[in-house]
Amino acid sequence: MIFINAPIAIGKTSLAKLLSKDLGTHAFLEVPEKIPLLNDFYSDGKISRELKSFAVQIEFLDYRYEQLMQGVFLAQEGENNTVYDSSLISDATMSKNLYNRGEFPEILYKDYLRLNNVMQRNVSGHPFMGPDLIVYLEAPFEQMLENINKRGRKMETTDSKLVEYYKSVWNIYRDWYQSYGQTPVLKIDVGGIDFVNNVEERDAILNKIEEELVELGKLTQSEFEQIKAERAEKFNDPVSETA
């Protein structure tokens, strides 16, 4: 399993789609519409976050756990290197940020952590040791705000009620990266990079992740070489003028 971890709007879903297509594996993506309370969570700044934090995180917990169960089943069937654009690890990070901000009551936060930890240790009767690799994406805060504006979700705005909250999210993920050490983490700086539309930048990131998978024994060198050889056709890349 490959988890992609990053603050809001840094490119998790875009990379998950590209990476899973390159590897030929399933992508488990976050669909905001499947979290009914998310709009209410954002609706009135600090007040709505205080009122909805526990309920929203429980909705995410249920959603992520179902995806994790599907991934464990696929691994048992022989499909490795499934890709997740978020995870229970990411959700715990977001919850910690809310707690640090005084927007997640302590008793409810402890209840949430207990549930999160139990679910991560045991997935539908199968011990779970965590992902094989976490890809951590880092970019400047200004790029995060720009991307939030570009994707234009109604619940996400960059008015004064939310910008300070977004900055705390950006900071908590940097703190997470500095302190996390339970499973392998690959940091990729995507500041100023357009890996969705720029083929060279896309290939550089995919190669970096897949080289790490080779190092971890999750891909063979020959599998990696075959993936690279088939990539241009798989993504329908334009033929190079120098080819």
Side-chain angles (χ1 to χ4, degrees), residues 4-242:
I4 300 175
N5 214 17
I8 301 165
I10 298 297
K12 298 186 296 293
T13 300
S14 295
L15 181 56
K17 290 177 179 177
L18 292 171
L19 181 59
S20 64
K21 186 173 183 177
D22 204 39
L23 292 170
T25 61
H26 278 78
F28 293 93
L29 308 177
E30 180 178 304
V31 180
E33 291 76 17
K34 292 189 177 181
I35 310 297
L37 286 172
L38 199 54
N39 279 310
D40 290 340
F41 175 80
Y42 277 107
S43 64
D44 196 20
K46 181 178 176 67
I47 294 173
S48 58
R49 291 195 297 271
E50 288 176 346
L51 293 174
K52 302 293 183 180
S53 58
F54 180 71
V56 165
Q57 292 306 135
I58 290 298
E59 284 190 345
F60 272 117
L61 195 66
D62 177 65
Y63 183 59
R64 305 280 191 233
Y65 188 67
E66 184 176 349
Q67 290 183 328
L68 199 53
M69 285 194 296
Q70 293 176 43
V72 168
F73 172 77
L74 289 173
Q76 291 174 331
E77 295 294 305
E79 182 179 332
N80 297 308
N81 296 328
T82 49
V83 185
Y84 301 73
D85 72 352
S86 198
S87 64
L88 292 175
I89 293 173
S90 181
D91 287 353
T93 304
M94 294 289 281
S95 295
K96 182 179 180 181
N97 183 51
L98 290 167
Y99 173 71
N100 289 347
R101 293 171 56 84
E103 296 169 358
F104 203 145
E106 183 170 3
I107 189 168
L108 295 179
Y109 176 63
K110 288 180 177 178
D111 285 343
Y112 166 79
L113 283 184
R114 177 178 54 80
L115 290 170
N116 188 305
N117 289 333
V118 167
M119 288 182 168
Q120 287 193 71
R121 287 198 305 267
N122 190 296
V123 182
S124 193
H126 300 280
F128 181 65
M129 303 304 293
D132 299 304
L133 176 65
I134 299 177
V135 178
Y136 169 64
L137 303 181
E138 186 172 79
F141 178 61
E142 293 73 20
Q143 184 171 324
M144 174 179 166
L145 291 182
E146 183 180 347
N147 290 347
I148 288 171
N149 275 324
K150 281 181 180 178
R151 71 184 185 184
R153 293 179 183 169
K154 283 187 177 181
M155 72 181 84
E156 296 174 346
T157 64
T158 52
D159 63 24
S160 58
K161 288 195 298 185
L162 280 173
V163 169
E164 186 269 336
Y165 168 70
Y166 293 146
K167 187 61 179 287
S168 70
V169 171
W170 185 79
N171 281 325
I172 199 74
Y173 275 92
R174 290 168 66 88
D175 293 344
W176 170 86
Y177 173 71
Q178 294 295 329
S179 62
Y180 183 81
Q182 298 175 31
T183 56
V185 179
L186 174 65
K187 176 183 172 181
I188 299 179
D189 187 346
V190 294
I193 289 176
D194 183 4
F195 61 81
V196 174
N197 298 302
N198 185 300
V199 173
E200 289 184 0
E201 291 175 346
R202 179 203 70 196
D203 288 355
I205 288 178
L206 292 177
N207 287 342
K208 189 171 185 178
I209 296 170
E210 289 159 5
E211 285 167 359
E212 187 72 13
L213 292 174
V214 172
E215 289 292 319
L216 293 170
K218 301 303 174 182
L219 274 183
T220 66
Q221 186 65 39
S222 60
E223 287 171 334
F224 176 42
E225 296 300 332
Q226 184 175 356
I227 287 170
K228 288 193 294 182
E230 296 173 350
R231 186 179 291 155
E233 182 177 356
K234 188 178 295 183
F235 286 99
N236 295 315
D237 290 344
V239 176
S240 171
E241 293 180 1
T242 59

